[in-house]
Short mmCIF file of all heavy atoms in Angstrom, two decimals:
data_model
loop_
_atom_site.label_atom_id
_atom_site.label_comp_id
_atom_site.label_asym_id
_atom_site.label_seq_id
_atom_site.Cartn_x
_atom_site.Cartn_y
_atom_site.Cartn_z
N GLN B 95 0.87 -1.18 0.00
CA GLN B 95 0.00 0.00 0.00
C GLN B 95 0.90 1.23 0.00
O GLN B 95 1.25 1.78 1.04
CB GLN B 95 -0.92 -0.02 1.22
CG GLN B 95 -1.74 -1.29 1.34
CD GLN B 95 -2.62 -1.53 0.14
OE1 GLN B 95 -3.54 -0.75 -0.16
NE2 GLN B 95 -2.35 -2.61 -0.58
N ALA B 96 1.30 1.63 -1.19
CA ALA B 96 2.27 2.72 -1.34
C ALA B 96 1.54 4.06 -1.33
O ALA B 96 0.33 4.16 -1.51
CB ALA B 96 3.05 2.55 -2.63
N GLY B 97 2.33 5.10 -1.13
CA GLY B 97 1.79 6.44 -1.23
C GLY B 97 1.05 6.90 0.01
O GLY B 97 0.87 6.17 0.98
N TYR B 98 0.61 8.14 -0.06
CA TYR B 98 -0.03 8.81 1.07
C TYR B 98 -1.03 9.77 0.45
O TYR B 98 -0.65 10.73 -0.22
CB TYR B 98 1.05 9.54 1.87
CG TYR B 98 0.64 10.10 3.21
CD1 TYR B 98 -0.47 9.65 3.90
CD2 TYR B 98 1.41 11.10 3.80
CE1 TYR B 98 -0.81 10.16 5.13
CE2 TYR B 98 1.09 11.62 5.05
CZ TYR B 98 -0.02 11.15 5.71
OH TYR B 98 -0.35 11.66 6.93
N LEU B 99 -2.33 9.55 0.67
CA LEU B 99 -3.34 10.32 -0.04
C LEU B 99 -3.59 11.69 0.59
O LEU B 99 -3.61 12.70 -0.10
CB LEU B 99 -4.64 9.53 -0.11
CG LEU B 99 -4.57 8.19 -0.86
CD1 LEU B 99 -5.93 7.52 -0.89
CD2 LEU B 99 -4.04 8.39 -2.28
N TYR B 100 -3.80 11.70 1.92
CA TYR B 100 -4.20 12.95 2.55
C TYR B 100 -3.87 12.88 4.03
O TYR B 100 -4.27 11.95 4.72
CB TYR B 100 -5.70 13.17 2.34
CG TYR B 100 -6.24 14.50 2.81
CD1 TYR B 100 -5.46 15.65 2.78
CD2 TYR B 100 -7.55 14.60 3.26
CE1 TYR B 100 -5.97 16.86 3.21
CE2 TYR B 100 -8.08 15.81 3.68
CZ TYR B 100 -7.29 16.94 3.66
OH TYR B 100 -7.78 18.14 4.08
N HIS B 101 -3.16 13.89 4.53
CA HIS B 101 -2.65 13.83 5.90
C HIS B 101 -3.74 13.97 6.95
O HIS B 101 -3.49 13.74 8.13
CB HIS B 101 -1.56 14.88 6.12
CG HIS B 101 -2.01 16.31 5.95
ND1 HIS B 101 -2.21 16.90 4.73
CD2 HIS B 101 -2.30 17.26 6.88
CE1 HIS B 101 -2.58 18.15 4.89
NE2 HIS B 101 -2.65 18.40 6.19
N HIS B 102 -4.95 14.33 6.57
CA HIS B 102 -6.05 14.42 7.54
C HIS B 102 -6.93 13.17 7.53
O HIS B 102 -8.00 13.17 8.14
CB HIS B 102 -6.91 15.65 7.26
CG HIS B 102 -6.25 16.94 7.65
ND1 HIS B 102 -5.94 17.26 8.95
CD2 HIS B 102 -5.82 17.99 6.91
CE1 HIS B 102 -5.37 18.45 9.00
NE2 HIS B 102 -5.27 18.91 7.77
N GLN B 103 -6.49 12.12 6.86
CA GLN B 103 -7.23 10.87 6.84
C GLN B 103 -6.26 9.70 6.92
O GLN B 103 -5.06 9.84 6.67
CB GLN B 103 -8.09 10.76 5.56
CG GLN B 103 -9.17 11.81 5.50
CD GLN B 103 -10.15 11.61 4.37
OE1 GLN B 103 -10.91 12.49 4.06
NE2 GLN B 103 -10.15 10.45 3.76
N GLY B 104 -6.79 8.53 7.25
CA GLY B 104 -5.96 7.33 7.28
C GLY B 104 -5.63 6.86 5.89
O GLY B 104 -6.29 7.22 4.91
N ARG B 105 -4.61 6.03 5.78
CA ARG B 105 -4.20 5.54 4.46
C ARG B 105 -4.34 4.03 4.34
O ARG B 105 -4.10 3.47 3.26
CB ARG B 105 -2.76 5.96 4.15
CG ARG B 105 -1.68 5.12 4.83
CD ARG B 105 -0.30 5.58 4.44
NE ARG B 105 0.72 4.65 4.89
CZ ARG B 105 1.34 3.78 4.12
NH1 ARG B 105 1.03 3.70 2.83
NH2 ARG B 105 2.26 2.97 4.61
N VAL B 106 -4.69 3.33 5.42
CA VAL B 106 -4.83 1.88 5.39
C VAL B 106 -6.31 1.53 5.45
O VAL B 106 -6.98 1.79 6.45
CB VAL B 106 -4.07 1.22 6.56
CG1 VAL B 106 -4.23 -0.29 6.50
CG2 VAL B 106 -2.60 1.61 6.54
N ASN B 107 -6.83 0.95 4.38
CA ASN B 107 -8.23 0.58 4.30
C ASN B 107 -8.35 -0.92 4.10
O ASN B 107 -7.94 -1.46 3.08
CB ASN B 107 -8.91 1.31 3.13
CG ASN B 107 -8.83 2.82 3.26
OD1 ASN B 107 -9.22 3.37 4.27
ND2 ASN B 107 -8.30 3.48 2.24
N VAL B 108 -8.93 -1.60 5.09
CA VAL B 108 -9.05 -3.05 5.03
C VAL B 108 -10.32 -3.47 5.75
O VAL B 108 -10.73 -2.85 6.73
CB VAL B 108 -7.80 -3.73 5.66
CG1 VAL B 108 -7.68 -3.40 7.13
CG2 VAL B 108 -7.79 -5.22 5.42
N GLU B 109 -10.97 -4.53 5.25
CA GLU B 109 -12.20 -5.04 5.83
C GLU B 109 -11.88 -6.18 6.79
O GLU B 109 -11.37 -7.22 6.38
CB GLU B 109 -13.15 -5.53 4.73
CG GLU B 109 -14.37 -6.28 5.22
CD GLU B 109 -15.13 -5.52 6.29
OE1 GLU B 109 -15.49 -4.35 6.05
OE2 GLU B 109 -15.35 -6.10 7.36
N PRO B 110 -12.18 -6.02 8.09
CA PRO B 110 -11.83 -7.05 9.08
C PRO B 110 -12.45 -8.41 8.81
O PRO B 110 -11.87 -9.44 9.19
CB PRO B 110 -12.34 -6.46 10.40
CG PRO B 110 -12.30 -4.98 10.19
CD PRO B 110 -12.68 -4.80 8.75
N GLU B 111 -13.62 -8.47 8.19
CA GLU B 111 -14.28 -9.75 7.94
C GLU B 111 -13.43 -10.68 7.07
O GLU B 111 -13.58 -11.89 7.12
CB GLU B 111 -15.64 -9.54 7.27
CG GLU B 111 -16.66 -8.83 8.12
CD GLU B 111 -17.16 -9.68 9.28
OE1 GLU B 111 -16.99 -10.92 9.24
OE2 GLU B 111 -17.70 -9.11 10.25
N LEU B 112 -12.54 -10.11 6.27
CA LEU B 112 -11.77 -10.90 5.31
C LEU B 112 -10.40 -11.29 5.82
O LEU B 112 -9.68 -12.05 5.17
CB LEU B 112 -11.61 -10.11 4.00
CG LEU B 112 -12.90 -9.63 3.33
CD1 LEU B 112 -12.55 -8.82 2.09
CD2 LEU B 112 -13.80 -10.81 2.97
N ILE B 113 -10.00 -10.78 7.00
CA ILE B 113 -8.63 -10.96 7.46
C ILE B 113 -8.42 -12.34 8.06
O ILE B 113 -9.19 -12.78 8.92
CB ILE B 113 -8.27 -9.87 8.48
CG1 ILE B 113 -8.24 -8.50 7.80
CG2 ILE B 113 -6.92 -10.17 9.12
CD1 ILE B 113 -7.99 -7.36 8.76
N LYS B 114 -7.36 -12.99 7.62
CA LYS B 114 -6.93 -14.25 8.20
C LYS B 114 -5.99 -14.01 9.37
O LYS B 114 -6.12 -14.62 10.43
CB LYS B 114 -6.25 -15.12 7.14
CG LYS B 114 -5.77 -16.47 7.66
CD LYS B 114 -5.15 -17.29 6.54
CE LYS B 114 -4.69 -18.66 7.03
NZ LYS B 114 -4.11 -19.47 5.93
N ASN B 115 -5.03 -13.12 9.19
CA ASN B 115 -4.16 -12.72 10.29
C ASN B 115 -3.48 -11.40 9.93
O ASN B 115 -3.45 -10.98 8.77
CB ASN B 115 -3.13 -13.80 10.65
CG ASN B 115 -2.21 -14.15 9.50
OD1 ASN B 115 -1.56 -13.28 8.91
ND2 ASN B 115 -2.14 -15.42 9.15
N VAL B 116 -2.94 -10.76 10.96
CA VAL B 116 -2.17 -9.53 10.82
C VAL B 116 -0.87 -9.72 11.58
O VAL B 116 -0.88 -10.20 12.71
CB VAL B 116 -2.91 -8.31 11.38
CG1 VAL B 116 -2.15 -7.02 11.03
CG2 VAL B 116 -4.34 -8.24 10.90
N VAL B 117 0.24 -9.35 10.96
CA VAL B 117 1.53 -9.38 11.64
C VAL B 117 2.12 -7.97 11.58
O VAL B 117 2.25 -7.39 10.50
CB VAL B 117 2.49 -10.40 11.01
CG1 VAL B 117 3.87 -10.30 11.66
CG2 VAL B 117 1.95 -11.82 11.14
N VAL B 118 2.45 -7.44 12.75
CA VAL B 118 3.08 -6.13 12.86
C VAL B 118 4.52 -6.32 13.33
O VAL B 118 4.76 -7.01 14.31
CB VAL B 118 2.33 -5.22 13.85
CG1 VAL B 118 2.98 -3.84 13.91
CG2 VAL B 118 0.86 -5.10 13.46
N LYS B 119 5.46 -5.73 12.61
CA LYS B 119 6.87 -5.81 12.96
C LYS B 119 7.38 -4.39 13.20
O LYS B 119 7.31 -3.55 12.32
CB LYS B 119 7.68 -6.47 11.84
CG LYS B 119 7.17 -7.86 11.45
CD LYS B 119 7.97 -8.44 10.31
CE LYS B 119 7.46 -9.80 9.91
NZ LYS B 119 8.25 -10.39 8.79
N ALA B 120 7.85 -4.15 14.41
CA ALA B 120 8.27 -2.80 14.78
C ALA B 120 9.78 -2.65 14.66
O ALA B 120 10.53 -3.57 14.97
CB ALA B 120 7.83 -2.50 16.20
N GLY B 121 10.21 -1.47 14.21
CA GLY B 121 11.63 -1.20 14.09
C GLY B 121 12.18 -1.68 12.76
O GLY B 121 11.72 -2.68 12.20
N ALA B 122 13.15 -0.96 12.23
CA ALA B 122 13.83 -1.42 11.01
C ALA B 122 14.38 -2.81 11.26
O ALA B 122 14.99 -3.07 12.29
CB ALA B 122 14.95 -0.46 10.65
N GLY B 123 14.15 -3.74 10.33
CA GLY B 123 14.54 -5.12 10.62
C GLY B 123 14.86 -5.95 9.40
O GLY B 123 15.80 -5.66 8.66
N ASN B 124 14.06 -6.95 9.15
CA ASN B 124 14.30 -7.98 8.15
C ASN B 124 14.50 -7.40 6.76
O ASN B 124 13.75 -6.54 6.30
CB ASN B 124 13.11 -8.95 8.17
CG ASN B 124 13.37 -10.21 7.41
OD1 ASN B 124 13.76 -10.18 6.25
ND2 ASN B 124 13.15 -11.34 8.07
N ALA B 125 15.50 -7.92 6.04
CA ALA B 125 15.77 -7.47 4.68
C ALA B 125 14.66 -7.85 3.72
O ALA B 125 14.53 -7.25 2.65
CB ALA B 125 17.10 -8.07 4.20
N ALA B 126 13.86 -8.86 4.08
CA ALA B 126 12.79 -9.33 3.20
C ALA B 126 11.46 -8.64 3.44
O ALA B 126 10.44 -9.03 2.87
CB ALA B 126 12.61 -10.85 3.38
N ASP B 127 11.45 -7.59 4.28
CA ASP B 127 10.19 -6.95 4.66
C ASP B 127 9.67 -5.93 3.66
O ASP B 127 8.62 -5.35 3.88
CB ASP B 127 10.32 -6.29 6.03
CG ASP B 127 9.77 -7.16 7.13
OD1 ASP B 127 8.98 -8.06 6.83
OD2 ASP B 127 10.14 -6.94 8.29
N GLY B 128 10.38 -5.69 2.59
CA GLY B 128 9.89 -4.79 1.56
C GLY B 128 10.52 -3.41 1.63
O GLY B 128 11.15 -3.02 2.61
N ALA B 129 10.31 -2.66 0.55
CA ALA B 129 10.92 -1.34 0.42
C ALA B 129 10.30 -0.35 1.39
O ALA B 129 9.11 -0.37 1.67
CB ALA B 129 10.77 -0.84 -1.01
#
């Protein structure tokens, strides 16, 4: 989910009914975590 649309609104839009799992990784870390 690249980019930033508007600083007065959120940028992550997802429907909880469809989620299998969420993983949050804090801090700069794994090389495979994406750009």
Side-chain angles (χ1 to χ4, degrees):
Q95 305 302 296
Y98 190 21
L99 299 181
Y100 186 32
H101 62 283
H102 287 295
Q103 295 189 193
R105 78 178 190 103
V106 180
N107 301 306
V108 63
E109 171 52 54
E111 294 291 341
L112 304 177
I113 293 176
K114 181 178 181 179
N115 60 55
V116 188
V117 175
V118 182
K119 304 178 181 181
N124 193 307
D127 262 340

